[in-house]
Amino acid sequence: MTAPANDPATDTTAPAPMVEVRGVHKVFGRGHDAVHVLKGIDLDVARGSVTVVLGPSGSGKSTLLRCVNELEEITAGAIHVDGDLMGYRRDAKGVLHRLHPKVIAEQRSRIGMVFQRFHLFPHKTALENVMEAPVQVRGLSKADARRRALELLERVGLSDRVEHYPAQLSGGQQQRVAIARALAMDPELMLFDEPTSALDPELVGEVLAVMQDLARSGMTMIVVTHEIGFAREVADHVVFMDDGVIVEEGRPGDVLDNPAEPRLRDFLAHVL
Amino acid sequence: MTDQLPEPLHARPVPRPGRWVSAVVVLVLVAMAVNALVTNPNFRWDTVWLYLRDVVVVRGVAWTLVLTFGSMAIAIVLAVLLAVMRRSDNPVMRAVSWFWIWFFRGTPIYTQLVFWGLLSVLYPRLSLGVPFGPEFWTFTTQDVITAFWAALLGLALNESAYLAEIVRAGLSSVDPGQAEAAKALGMKDGKILRRIVLPQAMRVIVPPTGNETISMLKTTSLVLAVPFTLELTYATNAIGNRTFQPIPLLIVAALWYLLITSLLMVGQHYLERYYGRGFDGGRTGRGGRGPRGGRRRPRKQDLIGASGTTKDDPFLEVTP
């Protein structure tokens, strides 16, 4: 279902993808200092699928991810998540309007994000970290949020760490709390921005296991990572980016074992 | 413990005669100072003790406390507002905040207090209305801006400029990733500031603010410029001048200031501990909120951390 031959615009039998990225450009800065980071990205992410984005540093992977949930404003193009245009509204006459920050916040709340450096709230316990958004954004009662947070912390294997502050947890534990925190908002899409890159090697496995479990449960995921093994095992679709464009994409078996592009071959030789 | 601990080394310490000599010299100097304080009858310690509990003096202490805490409370609210304005996208807000801080830090507090005292001369009547247009509400300045309010506002406005810079430093000290993570969860800017950024900034804001509070305690003695004459320094000075015993009454004032400062330091300690929760590795800020059942981290790891030989930042750029 992720074969690139199916153009979702013409193929009416395929369900609408969860994420539709069309002609997205991102330019940082202006004038002489301008840096063209994304140079026309097109990408579909099917519902319930896992897309792994590979690429060397500075290829624009993280920027693409941050554009999907509006942490960065795109310079050109359009991103739809679950059919909603992100960050903008087109009126009846076709004029584009920037959405009010309140509405953008609401759009973001339906997309979970996990960061390379966890970004847990250090002044709150693991439990309070997970409860924060449901209570403050969704208006859930503290008791309900607490019950749900305990469930999620159990799911990521941290039932015995709920009262710990982030500084008292290992990197792998912190990242698992961060995943639980994102899941607490019942997202329809999860974004992972190099979730294991800041971890000691022996802690990578526990985080990947939680992600694999999440993928099996049918969550739609976009994962930026250097873990080729994870891509091979879990991904439905692998995208290789370099210098702001998608160089090659397809099934993990095809892309990882028979890379067509010399740049991808070169990259895989370095990472593996 | 099953582990067999080794016998520690027994070695003679390095002789340090300098320590003994310096300690003796300092102790002799201290003894001389105490002697000078206690044996000199001109200090009139009996008068000090008498006026320490005088009703006018105690009332002065009360007014000093009201001025200190009142002006700090107003200043903190203004300072957070100014710091947020300073970081705003709106250039008008940034400019106003910059000007406020420039003006109130750039003129002496004494001058500002005299000015507030003279406000009723400058503007005998104050009114609320459209600039250059109609007035809706008018009052006589002297009725509303009494000496007390002039003193309180004068101290508060001056202090807000200093505190604004402290708050700004605190806000900038918080990792931008924190606001980003909160944003990604769908929190709005106001909530991110209140629930995520400010509580973490407090760790940086509290110590210098405690310092400012202690400084403010003594700055209140300048409100005689307004003139407001009920606070501690003016009250004790007046008694001293009247009874021709200025030195004992200066000591009375000094003892009261020292006592209040000591109490403020205790309060600051607890505030710092509260806002430091989650940042100091093992210890938790609020009692009983830590995990049940003892240690949260292996003791070994704590000791390795305490040795200071490991990198503090676990987030150093990793290139896989």
Side-chain angles (χ1 to χ4, degrees):
Chain A
M1 69 195 235
T2 48
N6 286 353
D7 183 357
T10 53
D11 187 356
T12 48
T13 56
M18 177 63 82
V19 183
E20 255 185 308
V21 178
R22 287 289 171 270
V24 164
H25 286 256
K26 174 65 190 178
V27 181
F28 286 105
R30 279 162 192 236
H32 291 297
D33 298 327
V35 186
H36 201 170
V37 177
L38 296 180
K39 301 171 179 171
I41 300 284
D42 292 290
L43 179 68
D44 282 348
V45 176
R47 267 165 220 280
S49 77
V50 177
T51 299
V52 166
V53 184
L54 301 172
S57 301
S59 57
K61 316 172 297 264
S62 293
T63 305
L64 174 62
L65 214 59
R66 294 162 58 82
C67 285
V68 170
N69 77 343
E70 280 288 320
L71 284 181
E72 303 287 355
E73 263 179 66
I74 57 175
T75 311
I79 297 177
H80 286 83
V81 174
D82 198 20
D84 289 344
L85 179 60
M86 294 299 289
Y88 300 89
R89 172 176 63 84
R90 209 173 269 289
D91 66 16
K93 289 180 194 149
V95 180
L96 206 57
H97 298 264
R98 180 81 180 142
L99 287 177
H100 191 274
K102 221 164 59 184
V103 186
I104 294 179
E106 204 278 321
Q107 286 186 330
R108 278 197 198 104
S109 75
R110 290 181 281 140
I111 303 173
M113 180 143 187
V114 175
F115 298 87
Q116 179 179 3
R117 296 168 183 205
F118 330 134
H119 295 327
L120 288 182
F121 307 133
H123 59 306
K124 293 177 183 294
T125 61
L127 184 67
E128 289 168 340
N129 263 280
V130 181
M131 286 169 61
E132 180 68 13
V135 172
Q136 295 300 325
V137 178
R138 290 277 153 79
L140 230 65
S141 78
K142 281 224 169 121
D144 287 345
R146 188 185 160 84
R147 204 171 308 123
R148 176 99 176 94
L150 288 172
E151 271 171 36
L152 286 165
L153 285 169
E154 190 184 347
R155 184 168 166 192
V156 299
L158 290 172
S159 293
D160 56 339
R161 293 284 187 279
V162 295
E163 295 289 349
H164 287 55
Y165 285 95
Q168 300 162 343
L169 298 172
S170 73
Q173 292 169 338
Q174 289 190 52
Q175 193 62 298
R176 286 187 279 154
V177 173
I179 293 172
R181 179 176 71 174
L183 290 176
M185 293 298 280
D186 296 313
E188 52 200 9
L189 167 69
M190 285 284 285
L191 309 175
F192 292 84
D193 187 4
E194 304 204 27
T196 57
S197 295
L199 297 177
D200 289 336
E202 77 270 22
L203 302 176
V204 169
E206 61 189 63
V207 172
L208 291 182
V210 168
M211 289 168 63
Q212 193 160 6
D213 178 58
L214 194 59
R216 235 181 266 129
S217 75
M219 175 65 74
T220 313
M221 294 162 60
I222 307 179
V223 184
V224 171
T225 187
H226 293 289
E227 296 290 333
I228 305 294
F230 178 81
R232 200 186 296 278
E233 248 179 86
V234 182
D236 300 296
H237 192 72
V238 172
V239 174
F240 176 68
M241 282 179 72
D242 191 20
D243 198 24
V245 292
I246 293 180
V247 176
E248 190 169 342
E249 61 179 314
R251 290 178 207 283
D254 302 338
V255 173
L256 297 174
D257 298 329
N258 297 307
E261 275 282 329
R263 274 189 282 182
L264 175 53
R265 276 203 293 272
D266 197 42
F267 174 78
L268 289 173
H270 277 95
V271 182
L272 284 175
Chain B
M1 199 178 271
T2 53
D3 202 13
Q4 187 65 47
L5 291 178
E7 180 76 6
L9 289 173
H10 292 290
R12 301 254 171 110
V14 177
R16 296 188 187 279
R19 280 191 184 178
W20 289 98
V21 174
S22 57
V24 168
V25 169
V26 168
L27 283 176
V28 168
L29 289 173
V30 169
M32 286 161 71
V34 171
N35 176 52
L37 275 175
V38 175
T39 56
N40 186 342
N42 292 338
F43 277 113
R44 299 296 305 271
W45 289 105
D46 53 330
T47 314
V48 171
W49 178 238
L50 182 69
Y51 280 104
L52 208 52
R53 303 156 295 152
D54 185 86
V55 64
V56 178
V57 172
V58 174
R59 201 182 59 188
V61 170
W63 277 112
T64 293
L65 287 174
V66 168
L67 283 173
T68 305
F69 288 111
S71 59
M72 283 307 287
I74 299 171
I76 286 169
V77 173
L78 283 173
V80 173
L81 204 67
L82 286 165
V84 172
M85 283 166 72
R86 194 76 193 276
R87 291 157 58 94
S88 155
D89 291 332
N90 185 337
V92 176
M93 293 291 148
R94 281 204 306 273
V96 167
S97 173
W98 183 90
F99 178 84
W100 180 288
I101 293 167
W102 172 77
F103 181 81
F104 283 103
R105 284 204 309 182
T107 52
I109 173 76
Y110 194 87
T111 312
Q112 289 173 31
L113 286 168
V114 172
F115 175 84
W116 290 112
L118 291 173
L119 192 68
S120 56
V121 179
L122 193 60
Y123 293 103
R125 280 168 1 107
L126 290 177
S127 64
L128 227 59
V130 182
F132 307 107
E135 297 174 356
F136 305 128
W137 189 45
T138 311
F139 49 81
T140 312
T141 308
Q142 244 167 351
D143 297 345
V144 180
I145 311 290
T146 58
F148 169 73
W149 284 103
L152 190 72
L153 285 176
L155 292 172
L157 297 191
N158 179 264
E159 186 59 33
S160 70
Y162 288 92
L163 283 179
E165 291 293 279
I166 292 172
V167 174
R168 189 166 68 101
L171 293 179
S172 336
S173 76
V174 179
D175 174 8
Q178 290 291 312
E180 204 157 71
K183 230 169 153 182
L185 287 166
M187 292 174 77
K188 289 169 210 144
D189 286 347
K191 242 176 198 161
I192 294 174
L193 181 72
R194 252 182 315 139
R195 307 238 358 137
I196 306 299
V197 177
L198 256 185
Q200 294 181 55
M202 289 302 276
R203 203 167 60 96
V204 172
I205 292 172
V206 166
T209 302
N211 217 16
E212 289 291 315
T213 309
I214 288 169
S215 169
M216 174 62 85
L217 175 69
K218 275 99 26 103
T219 306
T220 54
S221 61
L222 291 180
V223 296
L224 85 124
V226 169
F228 180 79
T229 56
L230 293 171
E231 55 76 42
L232 181 58
T233 294
Y234 194 93
T236 49
N237 265 342
I239 298 171
N241 292 340
R242 199 179 64 230
T243 58
F244 300 107
Q245 290 181 322
I247 288 170
L249 278 129
L250 282 176
I251 294 171
V252 167
L255 287 175
W256 271 111
Y257 283 123
L258 280 170
L259 176 71
I260 300 167
T261 302
S262 311
L263 294 177
L264 287 174
M265 284 166 72
V266 172
Q268 183 181 351
H269 169 78
Y270 283 102
L271 263 183
E272 279 179 27
R273 207 172 72 167
Y274 173 77
Y275 283 110
R277 72 191 190 281
F279 282 93
D280 46 3
R283 292 172 298 280
T284 50
R286 282 173 273 185
R289 298 219 47 193
R292 283 164 292 256
R295 270 183 211 119
R296 300 121 199 156
R297 245 207 286 188
R299 204 165 79 100
K300 196 168 159 196
Q301 193 55 50
D302 281 340
L303 291 175
I304 293 170
S307 73
T309 53
T310 52
K311 283 190 209 118
D312 283 337
D313 183 7
F315 302 128
L316 288 172
E317 206 62 62
V318 179
T319 318

